[in-house]
Amino acid sequence: MASTMQRDRVRFNELINTIEISFLEKIGNRKLICYGASAIWPNLVRILAINDLVEFFVDRDKSKWGELYYGKEIKSPIEIANVPEGEYAVLVLTGAFEEVSAVLDKAGLIKDKDYFNIYQYIHVYKEVSFDVINKYMRFLDTVPPEIGNISSAKESERIGIVLTAEGLNFGTTYLPYLVSLFLILKWKGYHVKLIVDRLHWEGDMELYEGHCAVCDHVRDLVMGKLEKLVPAEDILYLDEDDTQALSEEDERECERIAGYSAGWSKWYNCWNSRFRSKEAVQKDFSKIFKKNLAYIDAFFEKNHFDTINAITALHKMAGVYDYAGRKRNIRVSSQDGIDGYTLICANGPSSYGDDIPRFLNGMWGEISDQEEFLDRAVKMWNRRRGASVKLSEVSYGEYEKNKKELGYDKISFQASQEELVQTYDVIIPLNLQNDGAALGVATLFDDMRQWLEQTLDFVINKGNGTVLIREHPVGKIMPQDMANSEIYTVYPEILERYAGDERLRYVSSQEELNLYQYIEECKVLIPWTSTVGVEAGLMGKNVLVHTDVYYKNAAFATCPHTKEEYFEYLGRCVLNNEFLPGNRNEAYEEALKYFYFTMNRILTTDFTIVNSNEADWKFKSFRELLEAEGVEEIIQIVAENVPSVYLVERQRRRLGQL
């Protein structure tokens, strides 16, 4: 008989069998036509053993017509229209699925009924790291069996850890991290439940056909083992059963999340998205989010929580859960991280830093060594202003490594100073447009495009002022498929409108520039969510905030509540050169505090939701995990609502990192 260790692991043949059976059920007794004599066919038939069912291939390349391909004739695509209706299914073997899909739709065939995208099945071999799951299954053997007898001893909030398996690609450890977080809190006596989301999100649509089946298989394997460790009532399954009707606001929010999720997907160059238009991807996202929110709402109507833990920022699934939680006053904690550190927030998306204002407003007064903090902040700011990274000489990986090893305050994007030929009234520093920290924030405007268009019109055309727009310079060294999201490619008409107008200077990420020089001379800086807004506050400049960025209510920032107020404040800055915060000393000290904790909000830990393929799941035993650096801080952040920056600072003192 096979041992438990040998039995409890991902067995690839069993997984492939599940996928093949599911596919055969879709095609029934029909014969097959393959669209595209693709070189990937030999690998595809290793996953779907269907060569015997194929009648012939079709291909748009006329030179191939009449040739044999793996024993089948290659014909013209016209032949598809000549086969008896209902007797054949068409399998698309090309990455240009959307283009072929348009042809087949026109011929009267229905997607996922008459024709199927099987080109993507090749990714089952390539994109999922099974090693991490098999390591994790052995790790679960080390969890003490008495964990099942532990009851909630602490007067804690009702905590839900939301588990999804759809992050199982590119070497991620979402599933092991979230299951382990649940086990840690259970072991520590907190009132915690594991919410196993068995809904299907964007995996098949965004990545590849069969992704959801792979994730379901792996998730069920892990859950089968977990169910033997803890009582059944500690695991709640969220399935497609009860639904709750969505309001108009719910539907609008799903459409909003879909919009920036599609932007992220195209920017990140997710496999299936790269072949489709942003509009088509957004439409699919919206449909998925609305369907799943109805199930999530019904689940939370029956199961009450004070707090839930979801992953990363505000796009895709995380955005839907964040919205579902907020409208019920459920605190939503979140984290992101890779290889030795995590960005984590007790209340809100990890990329937004909401823990910083919570700490400064609620706990700063209890700090005895405030002057020491401020002194360190001044030194950090001086280092930051004097530091530089010549981006033309480093890769993105090297930049990330330097940031991690040297500290964010020692890394700057600024070029050497130069003599200024022209100064500008308004500085607009842009985020990477589809990065997590820039996605999903509420703004007074409909979107980034409207904000830029109306701001430029007000300053340049109505106020005869000048504007400098600076793309995030790290875009210069981003991977090629992720860098192409700057204004001149996304909203070219904005720049074309001011072509030749010296009142607008646009600086792409490719250009070297010392932005601090220009900030020194400007009247107002208007960020999206950029930390440059905090730096402008340190430089004594107006910082006009129109988004829900974490420093919007800081003493150095001015946050209008309406568009009318926004333009009123903008006019007072540009036309009257008025300093809106009023008290310069208070604004400067507040900016120092925000700067310090913005630069120091990353927790040192190997317990993260994402690891590289070289360092997947790092823990051999449950005891090792409990004793790992950063785990106690994560417990307090997630379970006790302690602002993360307070605990990060305490950790830095303990590790001698100050």
Side-chain angles (χ1 to χ4, degrees):
M1 177 180 280
S3 69
T4 301
M5 181 178 293
Q6 292 170 327
R7 190 166 58 247
D8 291 339
R9 57 189 291 111
V10 177
R11 294 190 295 278
F12 196 61
N13 289 338
E14 185 177 301
L15 172 61
I16 294 301
N17 184 54
T18 302
I19 293 174
E20 185 177 47
I21 289 173
S22 174
F23 176 77
L24 291 173
E25 288 175 349
K26 293 178 182 178
I27 63 171
N29 294 320
R30 291 176 289 179
K31 292 173 283 190
L32 304 178
I33 300 169
C34 291
Y35 198 116
S38 171
I40 68 165
W41 180 246
N43 288 326
L44 278 172
V45 293
R46 292 169 62 197
I47 300 171
L48 303 173
I50 54 175
N51 194 58
D52 63 300
L53 300 177
V54 177
E55 290 289 296
F56 57 89
F57 286 81
V58 299
D59 200 285
R60 287 175 292 186
D61 186 348
K62 295 181 180 180
S63 67
K64 295 180 179 180
W65 296 351
E67 293 182 0
L68 292 180
Y69 186 72
Y70 288 88
K72 315 290 182 179
E73 185 180 357
I74 302 174
K75 301 181 179 182
S76 165
I78 295 175
E79 294 296 325
I80 293 175
N82 298 327
V83 299
E85 185 177 352
E87 293 186 16
Y88 288 82
V90 178
L91 310 184
V92 180
L93 275 70
T94 171
F97 179 73
E98 188 172 14
E99 183 179 341
V100 174
S101 180
V103 174
L104 297 177
D105 288 344
K106 192 173 182 180
L109 279 68
I110 301 173
K111 178 184 173 184
D112 294 330
K113 179 184 176 184
D114 302 317
Y115 69 91
F116 303 88
N117 180 4
I118 70 165
Y119 181 85
Q120 299 172 90
Y121 276 106
I122 193 65
H123 292 274
V124 175
Y125 278 111
K126 294 182 176 180
E127 301 292 5
V128 177
S129 174
F130 297 121
D131 284 349
V132 64
I133 299 301
N134 287 329
K135 289 178 186 176
Y136 190 64
M137 294 296 282
R138 298 199 301 274
F139 167 87
L140 288 177
D141 287 331
T142 72
V143 179
E146 56 264 33
I147 193 171
N149 300 322
I150 296 175
S151 57
S152 303
K154 295 190 177 183
E155 292 295 326
S156 75
E157 295 182 315
R158 293 167 295 180
I159 306 166
I161 306 299
V162 179
L163 170 68
T164 173
E166 284 196 29
L168 285 169
N169 60 304
F170 308 116
T172 59
T173 53
Y174 284 13
L175 187 150
Y177 176 90
L178 293 164
V179 171
S180 296
L181 181 58
F182 159 73
L183 289 171
I184 290 170
L185 296 179
K186 170 75 176 170
W187 181 257
K188 294 287 185 178
Y190 290 96
H191 188 176
V192 61
K193 305 288 185 185
L194 185 67
I195 303 170
V196 183
D197 181 318
R198 292 195 291 201
L199 306 174
H200 283 164
W201 293 79
E202 68 282 344
D204 287 349
M205 178 272 289
E206 184 183 47
L207 295 171
Y208 55 89
E209 178 73 18
H211 178 75
C212 289
V214 170
C215 293
D216 288 351
H217 178 86
V218 172
R219 179 203 64 218
D220 291 345
L221 185 68
V222 174
M223 295 312 300
K225 194 156 189 172
L226 188 66
E227 287 170 347
K228 298 173 185 177
L229 282 172
V230 299
E233 60 265 25
D234 287 343
I235 303 175
L236 303 176
Y237 289 98
L238 202 169
D239 292 306
E240 294 187 2
D241 41 35
D242 294 339
T243 63
Q244 190 162 301
L246 300 184
S247 66
E248 290 184 5
E249 182 181 355
D250 292 337
E251 296 205 355
R252 283 195 301 270
E253 185 66 16
C254 287
E255 289 165 2
R256 193 173 78 92
I257 298 170
Y260 49 78
S261 296
W264 187 93
S265 186
K266 293 290 288 183
W267 172 69
Y268 207 79
N269 211 26
C270 292
W271 172 256
N272 207 14
S273 300
R274 75 183 64 172
F275 301 112
R276 308 177 65 217
S277 67
K278 180 182 176 182
E279 292 71 23
V281 174
Q282 181 174 340
K283 183 178 179 180
D284 282 347
F285 270 127
S286 180
K287 183 178 178 181
I288 292 168
F289 296 163
K290 290 175 184 178
K291 176 175 70 73
N292 286 351
L293 179 59
Y295 295 124
I296 292 169
D297 275 348
F299 176 85
F300 284 125
E301 195 66 27
K302 292 187 298 184
N303 302 279
H304 301 289
F305 292 91
D306 300 304
T307 179
I308 59 173
N309 180 261
I311 54 174
T312 75
L314 278 177
H315 56 298
K316 301 202 290 187
M317 172 183 172
V320 177
Y321 269 100
D322 183 80
Y323 172 71
R326 279 188 289 112
K327 70 178 185 175
R328 287 177 174 78
N329 292 318
I330 297 174
R331 175 172 68 89
V332 184
S333 60
S334 176
Q335 63 283 323
D336 200 356
I338 187 168
D339 289 348
Y341 67 85
T342 191
L343 190 62
I344 186 167
C345 197
N347 201 328
S350 57
S351 302
Y352 289 73
D354 282 345
D355 278 7
I356 295 176
R358 285 206 312 122
F359 168 71
L360 292 176
N361 293 330
M363 300 176 71
W364 174 254
E366 302 171 13
I367 302 299
S368 59
D369 54 350
Q370 294 182 3
E371 292 303 319
E372 181 186 338
F373 270 93
L374 298 177
D375 183 58
R376 285 204 303 273
V378 171
K379 292 176 181 176
M380 286 175 58
W381 171 230
N382 290 336
R383 285 196 300 268
R384 173 83 167 162
R385 290 196 68 174
S388 65
V389 172
K390 197 162 186 180
L391 293 175
S392 58
E393 297 178 359
V394 299
S395 67
Y396 183 68
E398 289 171 323
Y399 163 72
E400 286 291 319
K401 181 180 178 182
N402 288 336
K403 186 171 69 173
K404 179 182 175 184
E405 293 178 353
L406 301 178
Y408 198 68
D409 57 302
K410 298 185 180 71
I411 302 294
S412 176
F413 303 110
Q414 312 309 324
S416 302
Q417 292 197 9
E418 59 185 22
E419 185 176 349
L420 298 185
V421 177
Q422 181 177 345
T423 61
Y424 296 88
D425 299 314
V426 178
I427 304 288
I428 298 179
L430 297 177
N431 295 73
L432 287 169
Q433 288 190 35
N434 292 306
D435 195 9
L439 289 174
V441 290
T443 170
L444 295 177
F445 297 86
D446 292 343
D447 50 30
M448 183 174 286
R449 174 179 178 171
Q450 186 189 76
W451 163 55
L452 289 171
E453 286 182 332
Q454 294 187 8
T455 299
L456 293 177
D457 179 62
F458 181 87
V459 176
I460 296 174
N461 296 328
K462 296 178 178 143
N464 198 32
T466 54
V467 180
L468 183 147
I469 299 176
R470 172 55 156 151
E471 294 278 8
H472 199 302
V474 81
K476 182 175 186 176
I477 57 173
M478 291 291 287
Q480 189 60 42
D481 54 3
M482 296 173 69
N484 195 26
S485 63
E486 304 195 354
I487 292 178
Y488 65 84
T489 60
V490 181
Y491 306 128
E493 66 279 4
I494 294 178
L495 298 180
E496 290 168 1
R497 202 169 295 145
Y498 296 95
D501 193 330
E502 294 184 353
R503 293 173 297 179
L504 173 64
R505 180 178 177 184
Y506 171 75
V507 183
S508 75
S509 65
Q510 302 295 317
E511 298 179 55
E512 298 283 346
L513 182 92
N514 190 302
L515 189 62
Y516 292 144
Q517 282 186 277
Y518 290 91
I519 295 175
E520 287 281 13
E521 304 299 328
C522 80
K523 296 177 180 178
V524 59
L525 182 135
I526 314 176
W528 187 261
T529 62
S530 174
T531 55
V532 177
V534 179
E535 295 174 330
L538 283 169
M539 298 170 74
K541 297 299 175 179
N542 282 305
V543 180
L544 185 58
V545 175
H546 62 94
T547 66
D548 197 24
V549 65
Y550 66 96
Y551 53 79
K552 66 177 181 179
N553 293 319
F556 61 85
T558 301
C559 182
H561 296 94
T562 64
K563 273 205 265 187
E564 290 73 22
E565 279 190 349
Y566 171 85
F567 289 114
E568 177 198 340
Y569 291 145
L570 183 55
R572 286 164 62 181
C573 295
V574 175
L575 301 177
N576 303 336
N577 202 18
E578 183 179 340
F579 184 64
L580 300 178
N583 190 311
R584 291 185 178 274
N585 290 332
E586 287 182 5
Y588 172 73
E589 185 171 311
E590 183 90 330
L592 270 180
K593 291 184 282 187
Y594 269 84
F595 176 77
Y596 182 87
F597 290 108
T598 296
M599 296 296 111
N600 295 298
R601 58 192 180 109
I602 294 176
L603 186 72
T604 299
T605 183
D606 286 329
F607 185 42
T608 67
I609 67 165
V610 182
N611 281 295
S612 68
N613 288 323
E614 291 78 28
D616 288 294
W617 182 249
K618 298 187 181 224
F619 306 102
K620 293 181 179 179
S621 72
F622 188 62
R623 178 59 58 187
E624 180 187 355
L625 173 59
L626 290 173
E627 295 173 354
E629 182 61 57
V631 169
E632 281 300 320
E633 285 81 3
I634 291 172
I635 291 170
Q636 292 179 64
I637 293 165
V638 172
E640 300 180 11
N641 197 17
V642 179
S644 57
V645 289
Y646 168 75
L647 297 173
V648 169
E649 180 67 16
R650 192 175 68 178
Q651 182 193 58
R652 293 179 72 241
R653 288 174 179 268
R654 176 167 49 78
L655 298 178
Q657 296 176 344
L658 297 180

